[in-house]
Amino acid sequence: MLNFNEGDRMRLEFSGRSDNESFARMVVAAFCTKLNPTLDEISDVKTAVSEAVTNSIVHGYENENGIVVIECEIQDRTITVVVQDYGVGIEDIKQAMEPLYTSKPELERSGMGFSFMEAFMDEIEVESKKGEGTRITMKKTISCKMTEASEVSETNSK
C-alpha cells in the first residue's frame, strides 16, 4: 500500500492551447485516482483544473503561444494542484475573482471560472504579477472511501 504521508508528486508542462485543456484535466484526474476518490470528487477536481487551465490560455496568454505548468502533490488524503502560466498576469485579483466578472466580455466569457474553482475545491489561492503570470493553487481532501476489495486487503495484511 502507498504511504501518502511521504507525499507523491508530478509535474506536467504543455503548450497553452485550448485543445490541451482536456489532456491536462485527464492527467490530473489519473494522478489522484490512487486516493480512490468518489466520482463526484474526481469530477470536482477535473472541473477546477479545466477552469484554471482555460484561464491561463484565454486570459494569461490571450490565446497566443505560451507554456502552462501543472504540479500536483498528494499529502495524506489531500491533493494540491498548482496551475501556473507566464502570461500577462492579473491586475486586480480581488476583482477577477468576483462572480460574473470577465476581462473578455467580447468573447462571451461567463466570468465564473474562479467561482467554480472555489465551489469545487476546499481551498484556492491566486498569486499574480502583471507581466509575469499567474499561479493558482487549489487543494481538495479526498474522502476515505474504501472499496470492499481494499478493505479485505487491509484486513489480510494485518
Side-chain angles (χ1 to χ4, degrees):
M1 180 178 231
L2 294 173
N3 182 354
F4 295 114
N5 292 324
E6 295 175 8
D8 189 10
R9 298 172 177 223
M10 75 97 180
R11 178 182 169 95
L12 174 67
E13 189 172 301
F14 56 94
S15 298
R17 299 166 30 134
S18 61
D19 56 347
N20 285 336
E21 173 271 321
S22 60
F23 166 71
R25 181 180 63 211
M26 295 308 290
V27 169
V28 174
F31 180 74
C32 79
T33 58
K34 61 186 78 178
L35 292 174
N36 196 22
T38 64
L39 290 176
D40 285 342
E41 289 169 331
I42 202 82
S43 179
D44 290 352
V45 171
K46 286 168 56 177
T47 299
V49 168
S50 178
E51 293 296 335
V53 169
T54 298
N55 275 0
S56 290
I57 295 166
V58 173
H59 300 286
Y61 292 122
E62 299 180 328
N63 290 313
E64 298 292 324
N65 291 334
I67 297 295
V68 177
V69 177
I70 296 180
E71 296 176 313
C72 296
E73 180 178 27
I74 292 173
Q75 244 344 298
D76 297 316
R77 302 219 41 92
T78 300
I79 183 162
T80 301
V81 181
V82 177
V83 178
Q84 183 164 357
D85 67 64
Y86 304 95
V88 301
I90 301 171
E91 192 167 327
D92 184 342
I93 294 171
K94 186 177 178 185
Q95 181 183 35
M97 292 183 74
E98 288 180 17
L100 303 176
Y101 173 79
T102 180
S103 62
K104 304 262 186 251
E106 70 279 5
L107 298 179
E108 296 183 23
R109 308 303 304 176
S110 70
M112 294 298 291
F114 284 121
S115 295
F116 287 143
M117 288 180 244
E118 290 176 317
F120 292 121
M121 301 297 277
D122 298 332
E123 295 176 38
I124 176 174
E125 178 184 351
V126 181
E127 303 166 86
S128 191
K129 198 164 196 182
K130 199 75 174 139
E132 294 183 22
T134 301
R135 177 183 178 93
I136 301 170
T137 303
M138 303 176 286
K139 293 183 179 188
K140 184 166 189 74
T141 300
I142 303 300
S143 65
C144 192
K145 176 191 101 174
M146 292 186 87
T147 62
E148 192 174 301
S150 59
E151 287 173 356
V152 170
S153 175
E154 283 278 312
T155 303
N156 290 340
S157 67
K158 292 181 181 178

